[in-house]
Amino acid sequence: MAESLDRQTRLDRIVDLIARNMVAEVCSLYVLRSDSVLELYATQGLNPGSVHLAQLRLGEGLVGTIAATARPLNLKQAQQHPAFTYIPETGEEVYNSFLGVPILRAGRTLGVLVVQNKAERQYREEESEALETVAMVVAEMIAGGGLEGLSRPGVTLDLSRPVTFNGIALTGGIGIGRVVLHQPRVIVTNLFNEHVEDEVERLNEAVTDLRRSIEDMISRRDIASEGEHRAVLEAYRMFAYDRGWVRRLEEAVRNGLTAEGAVEKVQSDMRARMMHLSDAYIRERLHDFDDLANRLLRQLIGHTGSMVDEIDDAILVARNMGAAQLLDYRRDRLRALVLEEGAATSHVVIVARALGIPVVGQAAGIVSIAENGDIAIADGEDGCVHLRPMNDVVETYTDKIAFRTKRTQRFAEMRDRPATTRDGVEIDLQINAGLLVDLPHLEEAGAAGIGLFRTELQFMIASTMPRCDDQKRLYQAVFEAAGDKPVTFRTLDVGGDKMLPYLASVAEENPALGYRAVRLSLDRPALIRTQLRALIKAAAGRELRIMVPMIAETFELKAMRDLVDRELAFLDRHGYEGPSSLKIGAMIEVPSILFQLDQIMPHLDFVSVGSNDLFQFFNAVDRGNPRVANRFSDLSPGFLKALRSIVEAGRRNGVPVSLCGEMAGRPLGAMALIALGFRSISMAPPSVGPVKEMILSLDVGAVSELVNRLIDEAEPVTDLSPILADFARANGMEL
């Protein structure tokens, strides 16, 4: 490998050395191309004229089967195997025994390495191990571009081919830049050891350190003793103490690899095999094994810095990550975030949206295929990620970004214009927020206020429970940024799927429907009283608007009001200045409350519809499940009727009604809401411009007549979206 040879000569020398050392009459190297074809790149023993001509499709023949399954084949009579395929130009029909191993890198197949003999024999296990070890070296050579240009012009290898991932759009926008893996694979360059016992000792010391670090994590006081996060740590501990895993690592070292080379080989084998299993639970455990192996490699090699520190156009790629981890990166260097998992309501997605970072989720498999520094395009509009795109694709997206920039400038020009429809109806456009980084958007978007401030985000990104003074400082900063504009603070909405690492919890089958929000707050009054006290202190002399989430029964609202009254009385006794006025509201997001509207309205100063959760509960749809998330529309007549009933109840009881959620941020969704009678809607800051542009050209009378007629028809349509789009085009409206 170190000799100064041309590429083909080096390959020829490699297969010759393998054949001689394994006493094999044939050694052949097949490389996987971008068109899913395995091409013979070098051979010792077969017809040399078949090099770069002999080809097998992925899954075809013994070689294609090895590549497709990522598993070795060890056969005494190769021609008796059902997958055997005869390739006349190679002359391999005289060989009986066959040993083939996949060339793997990070669990991904790059080619196949084969040895053959005329005599019928079963290759020994140590021979298979040796061939797999050599295949690792070849994999690094392929990944490093060592074989580029050997095939005919126009043919590219699988590692460098363009790949498109069809995920889901989670946050709008487009990012073009270079890949930065959130938890990058540690690249092993030193593969072969010189002193076996020294390497075994290094490996054992690193495993001991790894186990100690996991024990330390589990025993930390700020880690709750129960909950899903605890189960993850316990699984890590189980894997770290797994004797079979450690034994395979030691065997690989004794076969000639360094400690880090052994970790890379064992993990690559495990990943390749687990990726082909149908059991979803076992495949999910693969993430834990990957993380454990990376931790062990870092123990052996040392920590490496992030590429974000080196480039200023990062496309951050991760399986998943926490909200706090995203905030560790410099915002000015991030162009987009791509997740293998993730949903619209994931904590990290909410933070990314606040930061104005485009996000694509459900991009399955991208972490294994992407390499640090790869060119990538993340389209937060249609949910596509283009990895290593062709030049014409880059040019197309460059034009698309230029168009979006012009549109953004147009929205900025209308920032100070009131959101008044063509027929004179005023609409109150507000923004959703949750962090200090959101606050400048209030002025930039030209919004009328903050319709939803998610107070739980401060808790979710903290490693310990925020104290009363910490909470008060945040709320004061929000008031100062808002000036004379109203701010609605939603009380703590945690529990269920929003777990806090320092808050003890129990596992739930349906966390979104479980122990969360007001239910948790009423059971833990010290937690909510601390927050209410911080809000009242921060308001001092201003109007304070408090909104309670997930109210399902009137008694819950009365209990929360009692807690607010107790805190007001407590602070008054101790000489604190109270708010100039206090308004208590409720989020309408549990369907049961739809049948108690006239009973609960007299106890409220305002209501706000949480359209995200209400729609999820209304249709029994898990928004994080891609199989059902897009099956139902929030512009269906049934759901729109439910929203209309809330508006009508508000009018009957003289209670202002607003709506906050993803629905309000889409021009078509906002159009339907205004038609139903909503006059105040709250959305993500980037949505204010497009929605305002729609409002300025909207005739409320005409669209109200259309929407109400459609949802009251005996045989209503299933989705009003195409009808509203046609209405907009016919009336010359901007969408």
Side-chain angles (χ1 to χ4, degrees), residues 588-601:
I588 306 296
E589 48 191 343
V590 179
S592 65
I593 210 71
L594 297 176
F595 302 95
Q596 307 173 60
L597 290 171
D598 289 319
Q599 287 74 38
I600 200 170
M601 289 275 186

Side-chain angles (χ1 to χ4, degrees), residues 3-15 150:
E3 291 183 47
S4 179
L5 301 170
D6 67 75
R7 297 175 180 184
Q8 188 63 55
T9 303
R10 178 177 284 108
L11 283 185
D12 294 340
R13 286 283 296 277
I14 287 173
V15 294
L150 288 183

Side-chain angles (χ1 to χ4, degrees), residues 515-584:
Y515 191 55
R516 53 172 284 209
V518 68
R519 302 167 182 182
L520 185 147
S521 296
L522 293 178
D523 282 2
R524 304 190 179 197
L527 179 68
I528 192 64
R529 285 184 64 184
T530 301
Q531 182 180 44
L532 293 173
R533 188 173 299 178
L535 283 166
I536 294 168
K537 285 182 177 181
R542 304 171 184 258
E543 179 183 82
L544 176 59
R545 295 169 58 88
I546 297 175
M547 181 163 62
V548 186
M550 210 173 174
I551 293 289
E553 294 286 347
T554 306
F555 79 85
E556 294 172 319
L557 181 65
K558 291 180 178 178
M560 283 294 291
R561 273 193 170 274
D562 288 342
L563 289 174
V564 173
D565 291 340
R566 287 178 63 183
E567 288 309 309
L568 281 170
F570 174 84
L571 292 173
D572 183 60
R573 284 198 308 271
H574 288 81
Y576 287 94
E577 181 184 6
S580 59
S581 65
L582 175 64
K583 294 185 177 179
I584 304 291

